[in-house]
């Protein structure tokens, strides 16, 4: 409680206040929340958006928390298939740890997705990251019924998946510089630093260990096995490659607007200030200034 009160007080004391902008025309304006959200990589954007939607819906009691938990009997008997997805998108009740969890979700998912995931067939791109998340989610769903009899594991896997991504990112970028509450360290130690801090503060940590274990299984299969045994056991499915392509996924740009109709013949349908194209001094019936189509001032 003392740590939380200090953190909140320190945050508000050091938070810069908005100043009136002396900016005409909007030049140099900071991007708004919508631009920031759209700038996130596609997998991170949809995962974070779904997490906000589910978390807010439960906390505002729009839907019951029980309806989003993983329950195999409900899936099997009542065909409630959404329970295969919603446990990965509920960050928790409104508190400081939930806020930190959402921050970590965006930060580490974005860094891993945009920084180049392990290449399992799609060039280390978005399709490989989607395959990694699907594989990790499936492993968590399979192992949870066996582990819950020995460890206190809740049927919600959002934090598990965050630390799964964090662990794999730390293995992918082991020497990257990171910090936790201002203490610098290499990325390879970051998951264990978060785990040690959670244990020291007396908070639940088995979901973190679950995610780290699943992350180590993925790392062993994707990086250790090919090097030691010379076999690639993980391959990104073709349907993911067909959908996201090779490398980082970038949506197709919107079609450009067709040129406006030229009413009255003014400008010949070309933007002002551009020379008319054409050979031999056509120029739309005008004079070919400069001789032979050359710009003025050239010999």
């Amino acid at each position: 409680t003392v740590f939380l009160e200090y953190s909140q007080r320190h945050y508000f004391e050091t938070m810069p206040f908005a100043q009136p902008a002396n900016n005409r025309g909007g030049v140099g304006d900071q991007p708004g929340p919508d631009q920031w959200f759209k700038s996130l990589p596609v997998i991170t954007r949809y995962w974070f958006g779904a997490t906000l939607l589910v978390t807010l819906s439960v906390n505002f009691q729009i839907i019951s928390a029980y309806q989003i938990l993983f329950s195999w009997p409900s899936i099997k008997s009542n065909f409630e298939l959404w329970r295969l997805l919603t446990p990965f998108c509920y960050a928790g009740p409104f508190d400081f740890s939930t806020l930190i969890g959402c921050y970590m979700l965006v930060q580490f998912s974005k860094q891993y997705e945009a920084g180049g995931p392990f290449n399992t067939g799609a060039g280390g791109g978005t399709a490989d990251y989607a395959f990694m998340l699907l594989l990790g989610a499936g492993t968590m769903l399979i192992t949870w019924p066996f582990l819950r009899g020995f460890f206190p594991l809740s049927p919600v896997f959002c934090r598990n998946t965050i630390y799964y991504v964090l662990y794999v990112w730390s293995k992918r970028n082991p020497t990257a510089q990171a910090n936790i509450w201002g203490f610098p360290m290499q990325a390879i130690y970051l998951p264990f630093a978060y785990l040690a801090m959670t244990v020291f503060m007396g908070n639940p940590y088995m979901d973190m260990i679950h995610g780290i274990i699943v992350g180590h299984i993925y790392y062993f299969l994707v990086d250790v096995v090919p090097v030691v045994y010379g076999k690639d056991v993980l391959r990104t499915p073709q349907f993911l490659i067909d959908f996201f392509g090779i490398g980082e996924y970038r949506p197709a740009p919107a079609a450009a607007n067709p040129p406006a109709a030229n009413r009255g013949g003014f400008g010949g349908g070309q933007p002002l200030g551009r020379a008319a194209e054409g050979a031999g001094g056509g120029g739309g019936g005008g004079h070919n200034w400069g001789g032979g189509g050359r710009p003025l001032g050239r010999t």
Side-chain angles (χ1 to χ4, degrees), residues 33-89:
D34 55 337
Q35 288 88 355
W36 171 82
F37 182 76
K38 293 176 182 178
S39 70
L40 296 175
V42 59
I43 300 295
T44 303
R45 183 166 69 247
Y46 279 98
W47 183 18
F48 178 57
T51 300
L52 284 181
L53 179 63
V54 174
T55 302
L56 292 175
S57 298
V58 172
N59 280 278
F60 284 113
Q61 299 182 354
I62 299 174
I63 58 176
S64 170
Y66 174 76
Q67 295 296 322
I68 58 96
L69 303 179
F70 175 69
S71 173
W72 177 245
S74 299
I75 298 173
K76 182 179 179 181
S77 303
N78 302 330
F79 209 61
E80 297 177 356
L81 297 180
W82 66 84
R83 292 181 182 271
L84 296 173
L85 298 177
T86 52
F88 300 93
C89 301

Side-chain angles (χ1 to χ4, degrees), residues 108 111 118 163-180 183-196 212 215-216 219-220 223-224:
F108 294 113
Q111 289 188 18
F118 281 108
Y163 282 91
Y164 167 66
V165 173
L166 170 60
Y167 183 86
V168 176
W169 171 79
S170 70
K171 288 294 188 179
R172 181 63 170 164
N173 307 277
T175 59
Q177 291 301 310
N179 70 81
I180 179 171
F183 293 98
M185 66 183 66
Q186 290 186 333
I188 192 67
Y189 305 113
L190 196 59
F192 305 102
Y194 275 113
L195 178 62
I212 290 174
H216 187 73
Y219 164 72
F220 180 80
D223 195 57
V224 177

Side-chain angles (χ1 to χ4, degrees), residues 267-271 273-288 292-293:
Q270 298 170 350
R274 292 187 181 179
E277 297 180 358
H287 295 284
N288 191 7

Side-chain angles (χ1 to χ4, degrees), residues 2-292:
V2 175
F3 175 77
L4 178 58
E5 291 177 353
Y6 170 77
S7 301
Q8 292 174 337
R9 184 172 64 254
H10 177 72
Y11 173 76
F12 286 109
E13 288 175 353
T14 58
M15 182 177 64
F17 291 96
Q19 299 292 333
N22 186 17
N23 180 22
R24 298 181 179 180
V27 179
D29 282 346
Q30 295 296 325
D34 55 337
Q35 288 88 355
W36 171 82
F37 182 76
K38 293 176 182 178
S39 70
L40 296 175
V42 59
I43 300 295
T44 303
R45 183 166 69 247
Y46 279 98
W47 183 18
F48 178 57
T51 300
L52 284 181
L53 179 63
V54 174
T55 302
L56 292 175
S57 298
V58 172
N59 280 278
F60 284 113
Q61 299 182 354
I62 299 174
I63 58 176
S64 170
Y66 174 76
Q67 295 296 322
I68 58 96
L69 303 179
F70 175 69
S71 173
W72 177 245
S74 299
I75 298 173
K76 182 179 179 181
S77 303
N78 302 330
F79 209 61
E80 297 177 356
L81 297 180
W82 66 84
R83 292 181 182 271
L84 296 173
L85 298 177
T86 52
F88 300 93
C89 301
Y90 177 63
F94 285 149
D95 56 22
F96 187 69
S97 62
T98 298
L99 180 63
I100 294 298
C102 289
Y103 168 79
M104 293 178 63
L105 185 157
V106 173
Q107 189 69 14
F108 294 113
S109 178
K110 177 181 68 175
Q111 289 188 18
Y112 185 72
E113 182 177 358
F118 281 108
N119 183 8
T120 53
T126 304
D128 293 328
Y129 183 46
F131 176 55
M132 169 202 151
L133 286 180
L134 290 176
L135 193 65
T139 305
M140 291 178 194
L141 293 176
I142 292 173
T143 56
W144 178 79
F146 300 99
L147 295 177
R148 66 171 181 169
F150 303 95
F151 307 102
L153 278 175
S154 67
V156 176
F157 309 117
C158 185
R159 205 160 76 129
N160 312 41
T161 311
I162 292 172
Y163 282 91
Y164 167 66
V165 173
L166 170 60
Y167 183 86
V168 176
W169 171 79
S170 70
K171 288 294 188 179
R172 181 63 170 164
N173 307 277
T175 59
Q177 291 301 310
N179 70 81
I180 179 171
W181 300 112
F183 293 98
M185 66 183 66
Q186 290 186 333
I188 192 67
Y189 305 113
L190 196 59
F192 305 102
Y194 275 113
L195 178 62
M197 185 179 69
T198 302
V199 173
F200 177 77
M201 296 175 63
N203 294 327
Y205 56 87
M206 288 309 304
D207 51 356
M208 301 171 61
I209 294 179
H210 189 204
I212 290 174
I213 291 175
V214 175
H216 187 73
I217 294 173
Y218 175 82
Y219 164 72
F220 180 80
L221 295 176
V222 77
D223 195 57
V224 177
V225 170
V227 173
V228 177
Y229 300 101
K231 297 180 180 180
D232 292 327
V233 295
L234 297 181
R235 299 292 298 177
T236 301
Q238 188 60 41
F239 76 91
L240 290 176
I241 298 177
D242 292 340
F243 185 82
F244 292 109
I246 301 294
E248 183 178 358
Y249 172 77
R250 297 185 182 276
N257 294 329
N262 180 24
R263 298 181 180 180
F266 295 104
Q270 298 170 350
L272 295 177
R274 292 187 181 179
E277 297 180 358
H287 295 284
N288 191 7
W289 300 103

